[in-house]
Amino acid sequence: MVQNMSDSNATPSVRGWDFQINAAIYMFLLDTKNTKTINVESKTEDIEIENSSGSISFLQAKSCFNPNEDNRKWGENLKKSLATLSKAYEYNRDESFKMIFNYSDVFGMMLSLNLRVTIVGHL
């Protein structure tokens, strides 16, 4: 009998990548005429979209498979996502930063995890 095996189920990772790809396609469809390039799993963020004028949108895409079971882990992923967007903002203050998620109560989640977020910039 094998003991102490870690969970090697890749389903959550695959679902996350699928969500990122679908989010990139959705963002492309919102502005097909002005989109120049889209990079998924780029070197800075989950998704980076360059428009025809050269400006870049940095996006974090996070999915939650089962909100009733994944709250704590999803909340930790949300913290990490906000941290990477914040770091990207330090070097690219004139660009656009967005979060895309499928969790229906993200702000309630943030409150329950005692996350404090300051939103800087414009939409």
Side-chain angles (χ1 to χ4, degrees):
M1 179 179 188
V2 177
Q3 295 179 354
N4 297 326
M5 288 187 61
S6 64
D7 183 6
S8 61
N9 183 355
T11 301
S13 295
V14 171
R15 288 183 188 274
W17 298 323
D18 182 57
F19 183 76
Q20 287 178 349
I21 292 167
N22 287 328
I25 292 168
Y26 175 77
M27 295 304 293
F28 168 72
L29 291 174
L30 289 178
D31 196 14
T32 56
K33 291 181 182 180
N34 293 315
T35 300
K36 183 177 175 184
T37 62
I38 297 176
N39 293 310
V40 178
E41 281 296 322
S42 64
K43 64 180 164 176
T44 305
E45 294 300 337
D46 290 340
I47 303 167
E48 292 180 11
I49 301 173
E50 182 182 4
N51 70 23
S52 55
S53 70
S55 66
I56 298 173
S57 292
F58 296 94
L59 295 93
Q60 276 286 315
K62 295 296 172 227
S63 65
C64 184
F65 176 61
N66 186 346
N68 295 324
E69 294 177 9
D70 298 341
N71 281 351
R72 178 55 83 185
K73 185 176 180 183
W74 197 86
E76 292 302 317
N77 288 340
L78 178 62
K79 282 183 190 179
K80 291 176 189 174
S81 297
L82 291 170
T84 64
L85 277 177
S86 176
K87 189 172 183 176
Y89 176 75
E90 290 176 25
Y91 300 101
N92 305 282
R93 292 184 180 255
D94 294 330
E95 304 298 344
S96 172
F97 300 86
K98 300 174 183 169
M99 293 255 339
I100 300 174
F101 42 83
N102 67 351
Y103 190 78
S104 61
D105 186 23
V106 71
F107 297 110
M109 164 69 70
M110 292 167 72
L111 290 173
S112 72
L113 295 174
N114 201 22
L115 285 175
R116 304 209 187 279
V117 177
T118 301
I119 299 174
V120 179
H122 59 279
L123 298 175

PDB file of all heavy atoms in Angstrom, residues 71-101:
ATOM      1  N   ASN A  71     -13.365  27.750  -1.553  1.00  0.00           N
ATOM      2  CA  ASN A  71     -13.293  29.137  -1.088  1.00  0.00           C
ATOM      3  C   ASN A  71     -11.913  29.566  -0.620  1.00  0.00           C
ATOM      4  O   ASN A  71     -11.391  30.583  -1.066  1.00  0.00           O
ATOM      5  CB  ASN A  71     -14.294  29.389   0.032  1.00  0.00           C
ATOM      6  CG  ASN A  71     -15.688  29.581  -0.502  1.00  0.00           C
ATOM      7  OD1 ASN A  71     -15.892  29.695  -1.697  1.00  0.00           O
ATOM      8  ND2 ASN A  71     -16.643  29.626   0.380  1.00  0.00           N
ATOM      9  N   ARG A  72     -11.320  28.836   0.289  1.00  0.00           N
ATOM     10  CA  ARG A  72     -10.037  29.254   0.859  1.00  0.00           C
ATOM     11  C   ARG A  72      -8.939  29.255  -0.205  1.00  0.00           C
ATOM     12  O   ARG A  72      -8.203  30.221  -0.354  1.00  0.00           O
ATOM     13  CB  ARG A  72      -9.667  28.332   2.030  1.00  0.00           C
ATOM     14  CG  ARG A  72      -8.341  28.624   2.671  1.00  0.00           C
ATOM     15  CD  ARG A  72      -8.188  30.037   3.130  1.00  0.00           C
ATOM     16  NE  ARG A  72      -8.765  30.313   4.419  1.00  0.00           N
ATOM     17  CZ  ARG A  72      -8.810  31.528   4.946  1.00  0.00           C
ATOM     18  NH1 ARG A  72      -8.312  32.543   4.300  1.00  0.00           N
ATOM     19  NH2 ARG A  72      -9.340  31.738   6.111  1.00  0.00           N
ATOM     20  N   LYS A  73      -8.841  28.181  -0.985  1.00  0.00           N
ATOM     21  CA  LYS A  73      -7.801  28.104  -2.013  1.00  0.00           C
ATOM     22  C   LYS A  73      -8.027  29.176  -3.076  1.00  0.00           C
ATOM     23  O   LYS A  73      -7.087  29.821  -3.527  1.00  0.00           O
ATOM     24  CB  LYS A  73      -7.786  26.714  -2.648  1.00  0.00           C
ATOM     25  CG  LYS A  73      -6.661  26.538  -3.643  1.00  0.00           C
ATOM     26  CD  LYS A  73      -6.596  25.141  -4.188  1.00  0.00           C
ATOM     27  CE  LYS A  73      -5.454  25.046  -5.173  1.00  0.00           C
ATOM     28  NZ  LYS A  73      -5.364  23.759  -5.797  1.00  0.00           N
ATOM     29  N   TRP A  74      -9.271  29.375  -3.480  1.00  0.00           N
ATOM     30  CA  TRP A  74      -9.564  30.377  -4.491  1.00  0.00           C
ATOM     31  C   TRP A  74      -9.228  31.767  -3.971  1.00  0.00           C
ATOM     32  O   TRP A  74      -8.685  32.600  -4.683  1.00  0.00           O
ATOM     33  CB  TRP A  74     -11.027  30.306  -4.915  1.00  0.00           C
ATOM     34  CG  TRP A  74     -11.276  31.011  -6.203  1.00  0.00           C
ATOM     35  CD1 TRP A  74     -11.143  30.493  -7.446  1.00  0.00           C
ATOM     36  CD2 TRP A  74     -11.671  32.372  -6.377  1.00  0.00           C
ATOM     37  NE1 TRP A  74     -11.438  31.451  -8.385  1.00  0.00           N
ATOM     38  CE2 TRP A  74     -11.768  32.606  -7.760  1.00  0.00           C
ATOM     39  CE3 TRP A  74     -11.957  33.411  -5.505  1.00  0.00           C
ATOM     40  CZ2 TRP A  74     -12.138  33.825  -8.286  1.00  0.00           C
ATOM     41  CZ3 TRP A  74     -12.323  34.641  -6.034  1.00  0.00           C
ATOM     42  CH2 TRP A  74     -12.411  34.840  -7.409  1.00  0.00           C
ATOM     43  N   GLY A  75      -9.513  31.991  -2.725  1.00  0.00           N
ATOM     44  CA  GLY A  75      -9.175  33.277  -2.124  1.00  0.00           C
ATOM     45  C   GLY A  75      -7.680  33.531  -2.109  1.00  0.00           C
ATOM     46  O   GLY A  75      -7.221  34.645  -2.377  1.00  0.00           O
ATOM     47  N   GLU A  76      -6.908  32.499  -1.823  1.00  0.00           N
ATOM     48  CA  GLU A  76      -5.450  32.638  -1.857  1.00  0.00           C
ATOM     49  C   GLU A  76      -4.973  32.917  -3.279  1.00  0.00           C
ATOM     50  O   GLU A  76      -4.068  33.735  -3.491  1.00  0.00           O
ATOM     51  CB  GLU A  76      -4.778  31.376  -1.299  1.00  0.00           C
ATOM     52  CG  GLU A  76      -4.995  31.182   0.182  1.00  0.00           C
ATOM     53  CD  GLU A  76      -4.489  32.348   1.024  1.00  0.00           C
ATOM     54  OE1 GLU A  76      -3.382  32.851   0.750  1.00  0.00           O
ATOM     55  OE2 GLU A  76      -5.204  32.761   1.947  1.00  0.00           O
ATOM     56  N   ASN A  77      -5.580  32.259  -4.269  1.00  0.00           N
ATOM     57  CA  ASN A  77      -5.234  32.525  -5.671  1.00  0.00           C
ATOM     58  C   ASN A  77      -5.595  33.956  -6.054  1.00  0.00           C
ATOM     59  O   ASN A  77      -4.873  34.601  -6.819  1.00  0.00           O
ATOM     60  CB  ASN A  77      -5.926  31.535  -6.607  1.00  0.00           C
ATOM     61  CG  ASN A  77      -5.324  30.160  -6.525  1.00  0.00           C
ATOM     62  OD1 ASN A  77      -4.199  29.975  -6.078  1.00  0.00           O
ATOM     63  ND2 ASN A  77      -6.073  29.162  -6.952  1.00  0.00           N
ATOM     64  N   LEU A  78      -6.709  34.449  -5.529  1.00  0.00           N
ATOM     65  CA  LEU A  78      -7.116  35.827  -5.794  1.00  0.00           C
ATOM     66  C   LEU A  78      -6.082  36.797  -5.230  1.00  0.00           C
ATOM     67  O   LEU A  78      -5.699  37.763  -5.890  1.00  0.00           O
ATOM     68  CB  LEU A  78      -8.492  36.093  -5.183  1.00  0.00           C
ATOM     69  CG  LEU A  78      -9.034  37.506  -5.342  1.00  0.00           C
ATOM     70  CD1 LEU A  78      -9.217  37.850  -6.805  1.00  0.00           C
ATOM     71  CD2 LEU A  78     -10.353  37.644  -4.584  1.00  0.00           C
ATOM     72  N   LYS A  79      -5.601  36.530  -4.025  1.00  0.00           N
ATOM     73  CA  LYS A  79      -4.558  37.389  -3.431  1.00  0.00           C
ATOM     74  C   LYS A  79      -3.322  37.435  -4.335  1.00  0.00           C
ATOM     75  O   LYS A  79      -2.762  38.498  -4.589  1.00  0.00           O
ATOM     76  CB  LYS A  79      -4.124  36.842  -2.070  1.00  0.00           C
ATOM     77  CG  LYS A  79      -5.046  37.117  -0.939  1.00  0.00           C
ATOM     78  CD  LYS A  79      -4.400  36.567   0.339  1.00  0.00           C
ATOM     79  CE  LYS A  79      -5.352  36.575   1.497  1.00  0.00           C
ATOM     80  NZ  LYS A  79      -4.726  36.025   2.719  1.00  0.00           N
ATOM     81  N   LYS A  80      -2.893  36.265  -4.819  1.00  0.00           N
ATOM     82  CA  LYS A  80      -1.712  36.196  -5.685  1.00  0.00           C
ATOM     83  C   LYS A  80      -1.950  36.950  -6.994  1.00  0.00           C
ATOM     84  O   LYS A  80      -1.051  37.633  -7.502  1.00  0.00           O
ATOM     85  CB  LYS A  80      -1.347  34.747  -5.971  1.00  0.00           C
ATOM     86  CG  LYS A  80      -0.815  34.006  -4.764  1.00  0.00           C
ATOM     87  CD  LYS A  80      -0.571  32.536  -5.095  1.00  0.00           C
ATOM     88  CE  LYS A  80      -0.244  31.737  -3.853  1.00  0.00           C
ATOM     89  NZ  LYS A  80      -0.139  30.308  -4.138  1.00  0.00           N
ATOM     90  N   SER A  81      -3.156  36.824  -7.539  1.00  0.00           N
ATOM     91  CA  SER A  81      -3.494  37.507  -8.788  1.00  0.00           C
ATOM     92  C   SER A  81      -3.426  39.017  -8.630  1.00  0.00           C
ATOM     93  O   SER A  81      -2.889  39.723  -9.480  1.00  0.00           O
ATOM     94  CB  SER A  81      -4.900  37.122  -9.252  1.00  0.00           C
ATOM     95  OG  SER A  81      -4.964  35.764  -9.533  1.00  0.00           O
ATOM     96  N   LEU A  82      -3.979  39.497  -7.541  1.00  0.00           N
ATOM     97  CA  LEU A  82      -3.944  40.941  -7.284  1.00  0.00           C
ATOM     98  C   LEU A  82      -2.509  41.420  -7.080  1.00  0.00           C
ATOM     99  O   LEU A  82      -2.143  42.514  -7.510  1.00  0.00           O
ATOM    100  CB  LEU A  82      -4.809  41.278  -6.071  1.00  0.00           C
ATOM    101  CG  LEU A  82      -6.313  41.096  -6.280  1.00  0.00           C
ATOM    102  CD1 LEU A  82      -7.055  41.209  -4.955  1.00  0.00           C
ATOM    103  CD2 LEU A  82      -6.841  42.104  -7.287  1.00  0.00           C
ATOM    104  N   ALA A  83      -1.697  40.596  -6.462  1.00  0.00           N
ATOM    105  CA  ALA A  83      -0.292  40.959  -6.246  1.00  0.00           C
ATOM    106  C   ALA A  83       0.457  41.065  -7.572  1.00  0.00           C
ATOM    107  O   ALA A  83       1.252  41.990  -7.777  1.00  0.00           O
ATOM    108  CB  ALA A  83       0.384  39.952  -5.329  1.00  0.00           C
ATOM    109  N   THR A  84       0.211  40.134  -8.508  1.00  0.00           N
ATOM    110  CA  THR A  84       0.915  40.206  -9.787  1.00  0.00           C
ATOM    111  C   THR A  84       0.428  41.383 -10.623  1.00  0.00           C
ATOM    112  O   THR A  84       1.232  42.042 -11.285  1.00  0.00           O
ATOM    113  CB  THR A  84       0.810  38.897 -10.608  1.00  0.00           C
ATOM    114  OG1 THR A  84      -0.535  38.667 -10.966  1.00  0.00           O
ATOM    115  CG2 THR A  84       1.370  37.724  -9.845  1.00  0.00           C
ATOM    116  N   LEU A  85      -0.881  41.672 -10.564  1.00  0.00           N
ATOM    117  CA  LEU A  85      -1.385  42.848 -11.272  1.00  0.00           C
ATOM    118  C   LEU A  85      -0.776  44.116 -10.690  1.00  0.00           C
ATOM    119  O   LEU A  85      -0.418  45.044 -11.413  1.00  0.00           O
ATOM    120  CB  LEU A  85      -2.913  42.921 -11.197  1.00  0.00           C
ATOM    121  CG  LEU A  85      -3.696  42.096 -12.199  1.00  0.00           C
ATOM    122  CD1 LEU A  85      -5.188  42.232 -11.938  1.00  0.00           C
ATOM    123  CD2 LEU A  85      -3.375  42.494 -13.626  1.00  0.00           C
ATOM    124  N   SER A  86      -0.655  44.153  -9.380  1.00  0.00           N
ATOM    125  CA  SER A  86      -0.070  45.312  -8.714  1.00  0.00           C
ATOM    126  C   SER A  86       1.379  45.507  -9.139  1.00  0.00           C
ATOM    127  O   SER A  86       1.825  46.629  -9.402  1.00  0.00           O
ATOM    128  CB  SER A  86      -0.163  45.135  -7.197  1.00  0.00           C
ATOM    129  OG  SER A  86       0.473  46.191  -6.537  1.00  0.00           O
ATOM    130  N   LYS A  87       2.121  44.419  -9.226  1.00  0.00           N
ATOM    131  CA  LYS A  87       3.520  44.502  -9.658  1.00  0.00           C
ATOM    132  C   LYS A  87       3.612  44.976 -11.105  1.00  0.00           C
ATOM    133  O   LYS A  87       4.457  45.812 -11.440  1.00  0.00           O
ATOM    134  CB  LYS A  87       4.202  43.144  -9.491  1.00  0.00           C
ATOM    135  CG  LYS A  87       5.681  43.192  -9.713  1.00  0.00           C
ATOM    136  CD  LYS A  87       6.334  41.886  -9.347  1.00  0.00           C
ATOM    137  CE  LYS A  87       7.834  42.004  -9.510  1.00  0.00           C
ATOM    138  NZ  LYS A  87       8.517  40.804  -9.071  1.00  0.00           N
ATOM    139  N   ALA A  88       2.756  44.453 -11.964  1.00  0.00           N
ATOM    140  CA  ALA A  88       2.752  44.886 -13.361  1.00  0.00           C
ATOM    141  C   ALA A  88       2.399  46.370 -13.458  1.00  0.00           C
ATOM    142  O   ALA A  88       2.957  47.096 -14.286  1.00  0.00           O
ATOM    143  CB  ALA A  88       1.762  44.053 -14.176  1.00  0.00           C
ATOM    144  N   TYR A  89       1.508  46.824 -12.582  1.00  0.00           N
ATOM    145  CA  TYR A  89       1.103  48.238 -12.576  1.00  0.00           C
ATOM    146  C   TYR A  89       2.289  49.147 -12.255  1.00  0.00           C
ATOM    147  O   TYR A  89       2.411  50.237 -12.810  1.00  0.00           O
ATOM    148  CB  TYR A  89      -0.024  48.448 -11.565  1.00  0.00           C
ATOM    149  CG  TYR A  89      -0.445  49.886 -11.417  1.00  0.00           C
ATOM    150  CD1 TYR A  89      -1.220  50.499 -12.396  1.00  0.00           C
ATOM    151  CD2 TYR A  89      -0.061  50.633 -10.311  1.00  0.00           C
ATOM    152  CE1 TYR A  89      -1.607  51.820 -12.273  1.00  0.00           C
ATOM    153  CE2 TYR A  89      -0.439  51.952 -10.175  1.00  0.00           C
ATOM    154  CZ  TYR A  89      -1.207  52.546 -11.161  1.00  0.00           C
ATOM    155  OH  TYR A  89      -1.579  53.853 -11.035  1.00  0.00           O
ATOM    156  N   GLU A  90       3.171  48.700 -11.372  1.00  0.00           N
ATOM    157  CA  GLU A  90       4.342  49.509 -11.004  1.00  0.00           C
ATOM    158  C   GLU A  90       5.163  49.894 -12.222  1.00  0.00           C
ATOM    159  O   GLU A  90       5.751  50.972 -12.263  1.00  0.00           O
ATOM    160  CB  GLU A  90       5.225  48.737 -10.026  1.00  0.00           C
ATOM    161  CG  GLU A  90       4.630  48.569  -8.654  1.00  0.00           C
ATOM    162  CD  GLU A  90       5.514  47.717  -7.753  1.00  0.00           C
ATOM    163  OE1 GLU A  90       6.738  47.657  -7.988  1.00  0.00           O
ATOM    164  OE2 GLU A  90       4.969  47.118  -6.813  1.00  0.00           O
ATOM    165  N   TYR A  91       5.243  49.014 -13.214  1.00  0.00           N
ATOM    166  CA  TYR A  91       6.083  49.243 -14.382  1.00  0.00           C
ATOM    167  C   TYR A  91       5.314  49.690 -15.619  1.00  0.00           C
ATOM    168  O   TYR A  91       5.925  50.036 -16.627  1.00  0.00           O
ATOM    169  CB  TYR A  91       6.869  47.964 -14.719  1.00  0.00           C
ATOM    170  CG  TYR A  91       7.764  47.541 -13.588  1.00  0.00           C
ATOM    171  CD1 TYR A  91       7.390  46.515 -12.722  1.00  0.00           C
ATOM    172  CD2 TYR A  91       8.967  48.198 -13.355  1.00  0.00           C
ATOM    173  CE1 TYR A  91       8.217  46.141 -11.669  1.00  0.00           C
ATOM    174  CE2 TYR A  91       9.786  47.833 -12.299  1.00  0.00           C
ATOM    175  CZ  TYR A  91       9.409  46.806 -11.468  1.00  0.00           C
ATOM    176  OH  TYR A  91      10.213  46.441 -10.424  1.00  0.00           O
ATOM    177  N   ASN A  92       3.994  49.662 -15.560  1.00  0.00           N
ATOM    178  CA  ASN A  92       3.174  49.959 -16.737  1.00  0.00           C
ATOM    179  C   ASN A  92       1.965  50.803 -16.349  1.00  0.00           C
ATOM    180  O   ASN A  92       0.843  50.473 -16.679  1.00  0.00           O
ATOM    181  CB  ASN A  92       2.681  48.651 -17.372  1.00  0.00           C
ATOM    182  CG  ASN A  92       3.797  47.708 -17.705  1.00  0.00           C
ATOM    183  OD1 ASN A  92       4.484  47.887 -18.694  1.00  0.00           O
ATOM    184  ND2 ASN A  92       4.002  46.699 -16.877  1.00  0.00           N
ATOM    185  N   ARG A  93       2.164  51.894 -15.673  1.00  0.00           N
ATOM    186  CA  ARG A  93       1.067  52.671 -15.090  1.00  0.00           C
ATOM    187  C   ARG A  93       0.067  53.219 -16.107  1.00  0.00           C
ATOM    188  O   ARG A  93      -1.050  53.535 -15.750  1.00  0.00           O
ATOM    189  CB  ARG A  93       1.612  53.791 -14.224  1.00  0.00           C
ATOM    190  CG  ARG A  93       2.298  53.261 -12.992  1.00  0.00           C
ATOM    191  CD  ARG A  93       2.766  54.358 -12.079  1.00  0.00           C
ATOM    192  NE  ARG A  93       3.415  53.781 -10.924  1.00  0.00           N
ATOM    193  CZ  ARG A  93       2.869  53.726  -9.717  1.00  0.00           C
ATOM    194  NH1 ARG A  93       1.685  54.217  -9.519  1.00  0.00           N
ATOM    195  NH2 ARG A  93       3.524  53.184  -8.717  1.00  0.00           N
ATOM    196  N   ASP A  94       0.453  53.349 -17.354  1.00  0.00           N
ATOM    197  CA  ASP A  94      -0.456  53.901 -18.352  1.00  0.00           C
ATOM    198  C   ASP A  94      -1.276  52.847 -19.083  1.00  0.00           C
ATOM    199  O   ASP A  94      -2.039  53.169 -19.978  1.00  0.00           O
ATOM    200  CB  ASP A  94       0.332  54.720 -19.381  1.00  0.00           C
ATOM    201  CG  ASP A  94       0.954  55.957 -18.763  1.00  0.00           C
ATOM    202  OD1 ASP A  94       0.374  56.497 -17.799  1.00  0.00           O
ATOM    203  OD2 ASP A  94       2.027  56.373 -19.230  1.00  0.00           O
ATOM    204  N   GLU A  95      -1.107  51.611 -18.700  1.00  0.00           N
ATOM    205  CA  GLU A  95      -1.804  50.526 -19.391  1.00  0.00           C
ATOM    206  C   GLU A  95      -3.098  50.162 -18.655  1.00  0.00           C
ATOM    207  O   GLU A  95      -3.448  50.756 -17.649  1.00  0.00           O
ATOM    208  CB  GLU A  95      -0.889  49.308 -19.530  1.00  0.00           C
ATOM    209  CG  GLU A  95       0.424  49.590 -20.238  1.00  0.00           C
ATOM    210  CD  GLU A  95       0.290  50.075 -21.682  1.00  0.00           C
ATOM    211  OE1 GLU A  95      -0.783  49.938 -22.282  1.00  0.00           O
ATOM    212  OE2 GLU A  95       1.285  50.584 -22.218  1.00  0.00           O
ATOM    213  N   SER A  96      -3.776  49.151 -19.143  1.00  0.00           N
ATOM    214  CA  SER A  96      -5.050  48.694 -18.586  1.00  0.00           C
ATOM    215  C   SER A  96      -4.842  47.399 -17.812  1.00  0.00           C
ATOM    216  O   SER A  96      -4.091  46.526 -18.250  1.00  0.00           O
ATOM    217  CB  SER A  96      -6.029  48.466 -19.747  1.00  0.00           C
ATOM    218  OG  SER A  96      -7.194  47.855 -19.312  1.00  0.00           O
ATOM    219  N   PHE A  97      -5.514  47.274 -16.672  1.00  0.00           N
ATOM    220  CA  PHE A  97      -5.392  46.093 -15.817  1.00  0.00           C
ATOM    221  C   PHE A  97      -6.788  45.586 -15.486  1.00  0.00           C
ATOM    222  O   PHE A  97      -7.638  46.348 -15.053  1.00  0.00           O
ATOM    223  CB  PHE A  97      -4.629  46.440 -14.531  1.00  0.00           C
ATOM    224  CG  PHE A  97      -3.261  46.939 -14.824  1.00  0.00           C
ATOM    225  CD1 PHE A  97      -3.029  48.272 -15.091  1.00  0.00           C
ATOM    226  CD2 PHE A  97      -2.198  46.060 -14.883  1.00  0.00           C
ATOM    227  CE1 PHE A  97      -1.758  48.727 -15.402  1.00  0.00           C
ATOM    228  CE2 PHE A  97      -0.931  46.502 -15.180  1.00  0.00           C
ATOM    229  CZ  PHE A  97      -0.709  47.841 -15.447  1.00  0.00           C
ATOM    230  N   LYS A  98      -6.990  44.280 -15.679  1.00  0.00           N
ATOM    231  CA  LYS A  98      -8.328  43.707 -15.481  1.00  0.00           C
ATOM    232  C   LYS A  98      -8.232  42.346 -14.821  1.00  0.00           C
ATOM    233  O   LYS A  98      -7.247  41.635 -14.972  1.00  0.00           O
ATOM    234  CB  LYS A  98      -9.051  43.566 -16.817  1.00  0.00           C
ATOM    235  CG  LYS A  98      -9.244  44.880 -17.530  1.00  0.00           C
ATOM    236  CD  LYS A  98      -9.829  44.699 -18.898  1.00  0.00           C
ATOM    237  CE  LYS A  98      -9.910  46.063 -19.574  1.00  0.00           C
ATOM    238  NZ  LYS A  98     -10.207  45.982 -20.954  1.00  0.00           N
ATOM    239  N   MET A  99      -9.301  41.998 -14.108  1.00  0.00           N
ATOM    240  CA  MET A  99      -9.453  40.649 -13.551  1.00  0.00           C
ATOM    241  C   MET A  99     -10.702  40.056 -14.173  1.00  0.00           C
ATOM    242  O   MET A  99     -11.728  40.724 -14.274  1.00  0.00           O
ATOM    243  CB  MET A  99      -9.652  40.687 -12.034  1.00  0.00           C
ATOM    244  CG  MET A  99      -8.485  41.163 -11.257  1.00  0.00           C
ATOM    245  SD  MET A  99      -7.525  39.938 -10.360  1.00  0.00           S
ATOM    246  CE  MET A  99      -8.479  38.524 -10.104  1.00  0.00           C
ATOM    247  N   ILE A 100     -10.592  38.809 -14.587  1.00  0.00           N
ATOM    248  CA  ILE A 100     -11.736  38.073 -15.124  1.00  0.00           C
ATOM    249  C   ILE A 100     -11.887  36.829 -14.257  1.00  0.00           C
ATOM    250  O   ILE A 100     -10.920  36.109 -14.028  1.00  0.00           O
ATOM    251  CB  ILE A 100     -11.512  37.673 -16.592  1.00  0.00           C
ATOM    252  CG1 ILE A 100     -11.309  38.914 -17.450  1.00  0.00           C
ATOM    253  CG2 ILE A 100     -12.671  36.828 -17.100  1.00  0.00           C
ATOM    254  CD1 ILE A 100     -10.936  38.598 -18.882  1.00  0.00           C
ATOM    255  N   PHE A 101     -13.082  36.597 -13.761  1.00  0.00           N
ATOM    256  CA  PHE A 101     -13.293  35.433 -12.908  1.00  0.00           C
ATOM    257  C   PHE A 101     -14.711  34.924 -13.071  1.00  0.00           C
ATOM    258  O   PHE A 101     -15.585  35.638 -13.539  1.00  0.00           O
ATOM    259  CB  PHE A 101     -13.009  35.764 -11.437  1.00  0.00           C
ATOM    260  CG  PHE A 101     -13.534  37.096 -11.005  1.00  0.00           C
ATOM    261  CD1 PHE A 101     -14.854  37.266 -10.628  1.00  0.00           C
ATOM    262  CD2 PHE A 101     -12.697  38.195 -10.980  1.00  0.00           C
ATOM    263  CE1 PHE A 101     -15.329  38.496 -10.238  1.00  0.00           C
ATOM    264  CE2 PHE A 101     -13.168  39.437 -10.585  1.00  0.00           C
ATOM    265  CZ  PHE A 101     -14.487  39.584 -10.208  1.00  0.00           C
TER     266      PHE A 101
END
